[in-house]
Amino acid sequence: MKRVLVLGSTGSVGTQALEVISATGDLQVAGLSAKSSWEMLVQQAGQHGVPAIALADLEAAESAASQWGGQVLTGEELRALIDAIHPLEPLPREPHATARVYRFRDGRGELGFINPVSEPFCADCNRIRLTAEGELR
């Protein structure tokens, strides 16, 4: 049985992917991630027997951790888990980019991580952000 990690599982494409996975007998959900929809993510994890989830939003991750018995990962922890199975190598960051992009060492594609809460946002970013506390960054 192949194991699948669904990134963005609470969005429309992610929920459809989970429906397809459920309909097959060949795939098993190994992990799920979302930006901040922790309630739906925890529900999906329970439905699919997933032991670990990752949330980009730190407050959402803390809420999920307090309400769920499984493991809640940071973006870096998720990257490390993927790297252990499918080795990754970092690509140079483009100026003003928000994502940290990695290439699979076997050449089969790229994967980007945007962890705006759990990791420092780019120092040379040309965007203004409004924090949850109402401050501009």
Side-chain angles (χ1 to χ4, degrees):
M1 181 172 291
K2 292 186 179 182
R3 296 176 50 154
V4 178
L5 176 66
V6 182
L7 305 175
S9 68
T10 60
S12 61
V13 173
T15 55
Q16 290 174 11
L18 288 173
E19 288 174 13
V20 170
I21 291 166
S22 293
T24 73
D26 299 337
L27 301 172
Q28 175 188 10
V29 180
L32 300 169
S33 76
K35 179 180 178 185
S36 59
S37 300
W38 70 269
E39 297 99 336
M40 185 174 186
L41 190 65
V42 167
Q43 180 183 19
Q44 290 173 337
Q47 290 171 343
H48 295 277
V50 173
I53 58 175
L55 285 140
D57 184 283
L58 186 59
E59 289 178 21
E62 290 171 353
S63 295
S66 71
Q67 298 294 316
W68 185 55
Q71 187 177 13
V72 180
L73 307 171
T74 65
E76 177 56 28
E77 290 169 327
L78 178 61
R79 188 206 57 76
L81 283 175
I82 294 170
D83 185 56
I85 299 168
H86 300 285
L88 299 168
E89 55 189 29
L91 294 176
R93 194 174 71 76
E94 301 204 13
H96 311 297
T98 55
R100 307 270 192 260
V101 180
Y102 295 81
R103 175 178 45 222
F104 290 102
R105 285 192 195 144
D106 64 8
R108 291 187 167 212
E110 296 177 0
L111 182 62
F113 290 85
I114 303 172
N115 303 318
V117 179
S118 60
E119 293 178 18
F121 211 71
C122 57
D124 61 354
C125 186
N126 61 2
R127 296 167 186 86
I128 295 177
R129 293 189 311 139
L130 180 63
T131 68
E133 294 80 26
E135 298 176 15
L136 289 177
R137 286 195 184 163

